[in-house]
Amino acid sequence: MNSLLVTGGAGFIGANFVRWLVDNTTCTVTVLDKLTYAGNKASLDGLPPERVKLVVGDICDRPLVDSLVGDCDAVVHFAAESHNDNSLTNPAPFVTTNLVGTFTLLEAVRAQGKRYHHISTDEVYGDLELDDPERFCELTPYNPSSPYSATKAGSDLLVRAWVRSFGVQATLSNCSNNYGPYQHIEKFIPRQITNVLTGRRPKLYGTGANVRDWIHVDDHNAAVWLILNQGRIGETYLIGADGEKNNREVVEEILRQLGQAPDAYDLVVDRPGHDLRYAIDSTKLRQELGWLPQYPCFSDGLTAPIAWYQANETWWREAKDATEATYALQGQ
Ligand code: NAD
Ligand code: DAU
């Protein structure tokens, strides 16, 4: 795999993936990114131009996609509308980008016989009770809750159908909640870090009891590279690092690391339809491909991202007031 087309490579996980590739492989990378509010050119700053090229464009633009797919060995598809809260206020771009965009890429790789890896989420499986001993695995039935997760579930099913009907050489991965640098400050962890850094109090939806299964973004991306190179065609792999925490515990850890009182947060209006708990069983990935997380401890893994937000205020400052104004309108 010498040359990759990475969609959404100016977003959170995509930009970290491109950085991981530059550090750990000899691949050249073309990033296709529309630079929506969630994309940031600066997330690719400092990368060698002979290794990484950014093309600003839409994954729904078939002629553009055709020409870029023609120039690469494989496509890794991260681009998406990714924020649940936004999908509740304006679902339209989720349907277009997540479904039509994936369809457009699948048609292009089908026509040109290229390898394709599809990035997806554990949210396609719905949610679990807090005391449920089961975790999500590759055989868990799909049961998405929000417009975001429904469009991701639909995109996964398109990929599976293109494998079975047309023999497209695709793999899929469904990962749990990522944390790390370059994540948009609308998302939970960077929102609370930058709240503290700007003199605001962290905001917990509802009672703060909801559980997410946290994984460092580099552990996600190392797994993606492994699946791209060694995964079985047509297979789905769940990616997770046994990082279950409730939201209150996460905020308390952020407050602790930033030297604040553990109860210096506010409880705010809950998210409609808020999924209670996600939890991943990644046995298949571990046993079949030998993957192991390099960041098994959440609180240790969080230290460098917190320092990154402290050191890189210019990356997030412009978006902060507008993001908080939007949340305030929703009582959040
Ligand atoms: P993000 O919102 O930070 O980045 C998305 C990127 O896609 C942005 O750079 C944006 O400009 C680009 N984009 C959006 N619409 C586009 C279009 N029509 N054409 C081209 N580019 C477009 O998202 P993220 O958190 O980095 O998530 C990346 C992928 O990983 C998504 O598919 C998401 O569903 C999946 N995922 C995310 C998480 C998580 O915890 N963040 C966990 C599991 C899976
Ligand atoms: O599970 C994978 C998914 O994780 C990805 O598919 C999504 O793209 C990604 O955004 C993320 O979805 P969540 O909805 O879990 O992430 P978010 O950061 O929005 O919220 C995490 C939890 O924190 C969730 O229970 C809602 C809560 N929350 C969020 C915000 C923004 C708060 O309590 N306060 C907040 O201010």
Side-chain angles (χ1 to χ4, degrees):
M1 224 70 81
N2 290 321
S3 64
L4 294 187
L5 177 62
V6 176
T7 72
F12 163 46
I13 307 177
N16 279 286
F17 183 62
V18 174
R19 290 180 175 279
W20 189 94
L21 289 172
V22 167
D23 289 344
N24 294 284
T25 75
T26 55
C27 285
T28 57
V29 181
T30 300
V31 169
L32 171 59
D33 197 297
K34 193 177 172 181
L35 297 183
T36 67
Y37 80 96
N40 191 338
K41 221 167 155 257
S43 301
L44 299 170
D45 277 357
L47 293 172
E50 67 282 8
R51 298 277 309 276
V52 180
K53 180 175 85 170
L54 170 64
V55 175
V56 179
D58 195 322
I59 54 167
C60 300
D61 177 346
R62 180 73 196 269
L64 174 63
V65 165
D66 275 343
S67 80
L68 297 175
V69 166
D71 290 340
C72 71
D73 298 329
V75 177
V76 184
H77 176 35
F78 290 93
E81 286 292 336
S82 69
H83 192 37
N84 275 300
D85 290 326
N86 294 343
S87 82
L88 295 164
T89 51
N90 182 21
F94 289 76
V95 173
T96 306
T97 288
N98 299 357
L99 288 167
V100 180
T102 299
F103 163 73
T104 307
L105 289 162
L106 285 170
E107 284 293 82
V109 295
R110 168 160 92 104
Q112 303 194 50
K114 294 294 171 77
R115 177 84 171 80
Y116 172 91
H117 181 73
H118 186 72
I119 303 292
S120 193
T121 168
D122 58 359
E123 294 193 18
V124 300
Y125 300 113
D127 62 353
L128 298 162
E129 293 300 324
L130 293 179
D131 59 357
D132 192 335
E134 295 301 316
R135 298 186 290 170
F136 300 139
C137 72
E138 286 77 5
L139 300 175
T140 305
Y142 275 38
N143 187 27
S145 312
S146 72
Y148 162 68
S149 45
T151 57
K152 291 298 293 186
S155 74
D156 292 10
L157 298 181
L158 290 176
V159 179
R160 291 179 181 197
W162 261 240
V163 170
R164 176 152 175 172
S165 307
F166 306 123
V168 163
Q169 300 288 293
T171 41
L172 304 91
S173 54
N174 296 71
C175 189
S176 60
N177 286 64
N178 286 217
Y179 66 94
Y182 301 103
Q183 186 171 28
H184 194 281
I185 50 143
E186 69 189 351
K187 301 292 186 345
F188 180 50
I189 287 182
R191 182 181 183 206
Q192 313 316 335
I193 297 169
T194 56
N195 273 355
V196 176
L197 297 180
T198 55
R200 298 169 167 97
R201 284 162 69 92
K203 312 285 183 217
L204 277 173
Y205 294 174
T207 63
N210 302 64
V211 170
R212 296 295 182 264
D213 189 351
W214 293 99
I215 182 171
H216 193 284
V217 65
D218 287 345
D219 280 334
H220 180 182
N221 284 330
V224 168
W225 179 246
L226 206 54
I227 297 164
L228 183 66
N229 286 282
Q230 295 174 36
R232 285 181 291 137
I233 297 302
E235 292 290 315
T236 290
Y237 296 86
L238 262 57
I239 307 174
D242 299 335
E244 282 189 69
K245 296 257 175 272
N246 72 40
N247 293 337
R248 213 169 33 246
E249 292 171 312
V250 172
V251 160
E252 284 167 0
E253 182 59 29
I254 291 168
L255 287 165
R256 190 187 68 77
Q257 294 204 22
L258 287 170
Q260 308 284 310
D263 59 350
Y265 58 78
D266 297 327
L267 298 179
V268 296
V269 174
D270 206 352
R271 173 185 284 172
H274 196 174
D275 277 345
L276 190 50
R277 172 173 163 245
Y278 306 140
I280 289 259
D281 177 351
S282 57
T283 302
K284 177 176 174 181
L285 176 70
R286 291 170 194 244
Q287 288 190 347
E288 199 175 304
L289 302 182
W291 175 86
L292 271 180
Q294 300 303 304
Y295 299 86
C297 172
F298 173 74
S299 49
D300 289 352
L302 196 58
T303 302
I306 289 178
W308 187 89
Y309 282 96
Q310 285 178 303
N312 290 279
E313 186 172 337
T314 48
W315 184 89
W316 55 264
R317 195 68 189 83
E318 209 182 304
K320 185 64 186 171
D321 289 344
T323 303
E324 289 308 316
T326 304
Y327 276 126
L329 287 174
Q330 292 154 207
Q332 295 176 322

